[in-house]
Amino acid sequence: MTPRGRAGARLAAVVAAALSGAPACGRLPAALDARGPGAADIAGLFWLFLALTVVPGAATIAVLLLAVRGKRRRRTLADVRPGDGHGWIVAGTLVTAGVLAALLVASVRAGSRAAAPSGPAELTIDVRGHQFWWEVRYPDHQVVTANEVHIPVGRPVRLRLSSADVIHSFWVPELHGKRDMIPGETNVLWVQADRAGVYRGSCAEFCGVQHALMAFELVAEPPGALAAWLRARRAPSAPPSDDHGRRGLEVYVAAGCAHCHAIQGVVPPSATGSVGPDLTHVASRRTLAAATLPNNRGYLAGWVLNPQHHKPGSRMPPVTLAPDSLMALLDYLEGLR
Ligand code: CUA
């Protein structure tokens, strides 16, 4: 094969890989696979921009090709008269101005809809970004959790977004656009999920070494299920009643966990505030380490002993524990439902 042939084959392979990779999972990118009015608006705007830029662009190239290749009568400069093609210039200018005006109107409308609530707030949730996890509070329900946001399906929810340290950005691509979380500011984002389900969210602003592993899950569920979830999360944890449980709590305090992680009803939030996630109901959560690890005993043990292995640069230091202390601690944590 000639060098040119090889380069062509390589290009064809790259294009084939790109084409097969994009829809391989049978879905559009999450931001275009809208499951709520906010994302639907943004996806609609994307397709409109694509159509109104690609179609005129392709038409221009087609006309150019026709002009270059067409067997037209040869004209010289002497044949050109003042005013020739004037109509085409006016028409082209008007069409271009019309397309730009349409895009401007569409994007301003989508922008104002994105900022406005889609109805009265069903629920207000405070989400605070930390390096590298999410503190989630339901101020009307005295519930605090982490890395998991539960909302009622089909209802508008007001999120008040803030940050404890650096700038983060809250993003659930299937539900809405990104909204920055800025220290000292509270930004509001209205989200609504039209279908029940679990939506992955992530931090969309580089915030440090573990930015890529700063994720969360947004669970949209029927109002009844949400009310039950809130009721269960509101209950403080009861202090352990048997020796094994008490031993687990002793390890929790002795190993230093209590400096950063509160357990309502047992370990009050430390003077330093919410350094690490509140663990009152940690065993009921779907994931560990901000949607990085599945929440099971093996990963919990690995995370407690060596968080820097899973998330180098996270704020949690490694903990050294004797096997029986670790087992007591794991039993205690797994009981926090
Ligand atoms: Cu937080 Cu990126």
Side-chain angles (χ1 to χ4, degrees):
M1 200 184 278
T2 62
R4 186 181 264 192
R6 269 200 299 277
R10 226 176 290 142
L11 180 64
V14 169
V15 171
L19 290 179
S20 67
C25 50
R27 288 188 59 184
L28 291 164
L32 297 178
D33 191 6
R35 302 296 167 101
D41 257 358
I42 295 169
L45 197 61
F46 171 84
W47 292 117
L48 180 70
F49 265 72
L50 193 69
L52 288 187
T53 49
V54 166
V55 172
T60 307
I61 290 169
V63 170
L64 270 175
L65 288 177
L66 282 177
V68 170
R69 300 192 149 207
K71 297 193 177 71
R72 299 286 304 270
R73 178 174 68 88
R74 279 189 164 229
R75 297 174 81 190
T76 65
L77 217 49
D79 298 326
V80 180
R81 284 184 299 277
D84 263 7
H86 187 252
W88 284 108
I89 294 171
V90 171
T93 307
L94 287 179
V95 168
T96 307
V99 165
L100 290 177
L103 292 180
L104 178 68
V105 170
S107 61
V108 167
R109 284 182 59 186
S112 62
R113 270 201 304 269
S118 48
E122 178 77 13
L123 188 65
T124 295
I125 308 174
D126 291 325
V127 184
R128 196 166 171 79
H130 293 254
Q131 285 174 317
F132 302 92
W133 61 281
W134 311 81
E135 179 185 341
V136 181
R137 289 178 184 272
Y138 292 76
D140 303 328
H141 299 267
Q142 295 82 50
V143 167
V144 51
T145 182
N147 305 322
E148 212 170 285
V149 181
H150 287 240
I151 66 168
V153 69
R155 312 271 176 86
V157 171
R158 175 172 46 208
L159 300 177
R160 294 191 297 213
L161 307 173
S162 62
S163 169
D165 36 46
V166 299
I167 300 177
H168 304 273
S169 182
F170 182 98
W171 190 30
V172 185
E174 286 157 299
L175 298 188
H176 215 313
K178 304 165 184 175
R179 190 62 45 93
D180 276 1
M181 309 171 89
I182 301 169
E185 297 277 336
T186 301
N187 283 337
V188 172
L189 178 69
W190 290 81
V191 294
Q192 181 175 327
D194 290 335
R195 278 187 243 177
V198 179
Y199 302 94
R200 190 173 170 88
S202 55
C203 181
E205 178 79 37
F206 181 74
C207 54
V209 62
Q210 282 304 343
H211 158 71
L213 293 184
M214 182 170 167
F216 63 96
E217 288 186 328
L218 187 144
V219 180
E221 54 198 348
L226 176 73
W229 182 85
L230 284 170
R231 254 196 318 278
R233 299 289 111 38
R234 184 161 49 224
S237 188
S241 55
D242 60 359
D243 281 353
H244 192 64
R246 276 191 284 272
R247 170 84 186 113
L249 180 56
E250 265 171 40
V251 175
Y252 187 88
V253 174
C257 312
H259 290 309
C260 303
H261 299 283
I263 300 174
Q264 288 158 59
V266 183
V267 177
S270 72
T272 46
S274 317
V275 178
D278 180 292
L279 298 184
T280 309
H281 300 285
V282 65
S284 69
R285 288 182 201 149
R286 301 166 47 86
T287 66
L288 295 172
T292 302
L293 304 170
N295 190 1
N296 61 38
R297 192 175 175 91
Y299 279 113
L300 183 59
W303 176 250
V304 168
L305 293 176
N306 193 359
Q308 298 298 319
H309 169 76
H310 298 283
K311 245 172 133 166
S314 83
R315 293 288 167 88
M316 180 153 154
V319 176
T320 306
L321 290 173
D324 60 321
S325 302
L326 175 65
M327 291 305 141
L329 177 64
L330 291 178
D331 288 343
Y332 176 63
L333 292 175
E334 288 197 300
L336 296 176
R337 303 212 129 261

